[in-house]
C-alpha cells in the first residue's frame, strides 16, 4: 500500500534476512515504543502514524509522525518534540538499566535543535533575545564565532541543560506509564508494525488531537488579508527551519541506528 511505498523510498528496502539477536530486538522495540509513548502523552508532539521495528537500510526501527501545518513554532512545541525524541533512550534506561548507541540520530537531531533554539532563535533567557545566525554561512566551518569565549561557554552550558531537562522529563513520563510502555513494546515485538489505532487501544484516545481548522492563506496581492505582511523583518524564510522529525508536511521517520 501507500505507506509501504513510502517506507521503501525513504527508509530503503526491507532487510528480511538481517539477523538480529533476540535481546537486541527487544531493546529496539522498547526504544521505538518509548518514542511513541512520549509523543502520544505530550500535547505539542507531532501525531504518530506508525511504529516499526522492521529493519530497512541502516535503520533497525522507526517511528513515523505527521506534522502539523506550522509557519512558526513556539518554545513549548520545540521542548515537547525534543522530549519525544529522547523517549527512545529514556525507555532503554528505564527498562534495561543501560543505554546503547541506538540513539545516535536522535542525539544529532536534538543537539542541532537545542543550539538553534539558543543561538539563532533567541529562545533562552540567559542568552537573551539575540541571534547569532550567519546567513552567509561563512562561519559554519570556520574557527571564529561572532561571540566571545565566555558566551560560547554559556551557550554550551545552556544546550546541555536544555537537553538534560528534556531527558529527565521523558524518563519521568515513561516511569509513570511503564506498564503501558511494556504493553506497547510487547505488541510491537508481536506485530513488528503498529499504528495509531494500536496506541489508542493501550493509552486511550489522545486528548490533544484537534479538529482540522481552515488555514489562513497569505494573499500576496492584498497585504490586508495576510497574517504576516511580507516585510523584510518578519519573513520566516530568512532563517533556517528548526530541525524536526518531519519536513514539508510529509511523514518522516525518526530512525534508530545501532
Amino acid at each position: 500500500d501507500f505507506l509501504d511505498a513510502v517506507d521503501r523510498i525513504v527508509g530503503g528496502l526491507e532487510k528480511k534476512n538481517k539477523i538480529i539477536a533476540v535481546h537486541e530486538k527487544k531493546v529496539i522495540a522498547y526504544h521505538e515504543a518509548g518514542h511513541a509513548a512520549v509523543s502520544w502523552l505530550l500535547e505539542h508532539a507531532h501525531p504518530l502514524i506508525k511504529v516499526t521495528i522492521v529493519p530497512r537500510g541502516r535503520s533497525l526501527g522507526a517511528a513515523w509522525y505527521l506534522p502539523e501545518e506550522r509557519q512558526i513554532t513556539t518554545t513549548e512545541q520545540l521542548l515537547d518534540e525534543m522530549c519525544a525524541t529522547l523517549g527512545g533512550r529514556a525507555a532503554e534506561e528505564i527498562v534495561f538499566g543501560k543505554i546503547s548507541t541506538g540513539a545516535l540520530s536522535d542525539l544529532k537531531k536534538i543537539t542541532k535543535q537545542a543550539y538553534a533554539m539558543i543561538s539563532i532563535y533567541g529562545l533562552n533567557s540567559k542568552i537573551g533575545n539575540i541571534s547569532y545566525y550567519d546567513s552567509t554561512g561563512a562561519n559554519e566551518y570556520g574557527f571564529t564565532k561572532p561571540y566571545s569565549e565566555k558566551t560560547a561557554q554559556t551557550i554550551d552550558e545552556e544546550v546541555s541543560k536544555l537537553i538534560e531537562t528534556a531527558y529527565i522529563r521523558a524518563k519521568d513520563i515513561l516511569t509513570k506509564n511503564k506498564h503501558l510502555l511494556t504493553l506497547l513494546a510487547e505488541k510491537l515485538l508481536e506485530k513488528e508494525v503498529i499504528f495509531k489505532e494500536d496506541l489508542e487501544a493501550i493509552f486511550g484516545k489522545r486528548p490533544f488531537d484537534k479538529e482540522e481548522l481552515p488555514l489562513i492563506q497569505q494573499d500576496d496581492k492584498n497585504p490586508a488579508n495576510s497574517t504576516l505582511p511580507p516585510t523584510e523583518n518578519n519573513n520566516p524564510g530568512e532563517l533556517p527551519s528548526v530541525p524536526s522529525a518531519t519536513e514539508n508536511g510529509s511523514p518522516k521517520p525518526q530512525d534508530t541506528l545501532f
Side-chain angles (χ1 to χ4, degrees):
D1 62 0
F2 175 73
L3 287 178
D4 287 334
V6 173
D7 285 349
R8 288 194 297 272
I9 294 171
V10 178
L13 293 174
E14 182 179 330
K15 294 187 175 180
K16 296 182 179 180
N17 59 345
K18 192 176 186 70
I19 300 174
I20 302 176
V22 175
H23 175 71
E24 283 192 346
K25 191 170 184 179
K26 188 174 181 181
V27 172
I28 297 167
Y30 271 94
H31 184 108
E32 298 304 336
H35 284 308
V38 176
S39 66
W40 192 264
L41 296 169
L42 289 177
E43 180 177 0
H44 302 297
H46 290 307
L48 183 89
I49 298 178
K50 76 172 187 177
V51 187
T52 176
I53 56 172
V54 176
R56 290 181 181 275
R58 298 178 61 198
S59 173
L60 298 180
W64 291 73
Y65 303 91
L66 185 65
E68 296 177 353
E69 292 291 339
R70 296 174 185 166
Q71 302 304 316
I72 57 175
T73 307
T74 65
T75 305
E76 291 74 22
Q77 289 168 336
L78 291 170
L79 292 176
D80 278 6
E81 290 173 18
M82 187 179 293
C83 185
T85 304
L86 287 166
R89 169 159 282 196
E92 290 183 39
E93 184 174 346
I94 290 169
V95 176
F96 303 103
K98 59 184 73 174
I99 55 178
S100 72
T101 58
L104 173 61
S105 60
D106 300 332
L107 299 179
K108 287 168 62 179
K109 175 195 164 187
I110 62 166
T111 301
K112 187 175 181 180
Q113 182 171 325
Y115 273 105
M117 289 175 66
I118 292 170
S119 64
I120 295 179
Y121 293 100
L123 300 177
N124 178 264
S125 58
K126 199 162 187 179
I127 298 299
N129 298 315
I130 299 175
S131 175
Y132 295 107
Y133 174 62
D134 177 20
S135 60
T136 66
N139 291 322
E140 185 175 359
Y141 301 106
F143 295 100
T144 59
K145 297 295 180 183
Y147 42 77
S148 65
E149 287 295 325
K150 183 178 179 180
T151 300
Q153 182 178 348
T154 303
I155 291 174
D156 288 341
E157 290 171 353
E158 291 300 302
V159 165
S160 178
K161 188 188 302 181
L162 189 66
I163 292 174
E164 287 308 307
T165 300
Y167 185 60
I168 291 171
R169 185 183 176 204
K171 288 200 297 182
D172 183 57
I173 291 171
L174 292 177
T175 299
K176 291 177 180 177
N177 296 275
K178 188 176 179 180
H179 61 297
L180 299 177
L181 171 67
T182 301
L183 289 174
L184 185 61
E186 289 176 351
K187 182 176 283 289
L188 190 53
L189 283 167
E190 176 191 347
K191 299 176 67 175
E192 291 194 325
V193 180
I194 59 176
F195 296 89
K196 177 181 178 181
E197 294 74 20
D198 297 299
L199 269 82
E200 284 186 351
I202 295 173
F203 290 90
K205 189 170 179 61
R206 193 167 184 259
F208 314 113
D209 287 343
K210 303 173 185 177
E211 294 183 4
E212 288 191 8
L213 298 175
L215 297 177
I216 300 176
Q217 295 183 346
Q218 182 170 316
D219 186 351
D220 293 335
K221 296 181 180 179
N222 187 1
N225 295 332
S226 302
T227 304
L228 291 175
T231 63
E232 183 178 354
N233 293 331
N234 60 26
N235 182 4
E238 294 181 3
L239 289 177
S241 59
V242 177
S244 173
T246 50
E247 293 178 355
N248 301 325
S250 302
K252 185 179 180 183
Q254 198 162 279
D255 296 331
T256 298
L257 176 63
F258 284 79

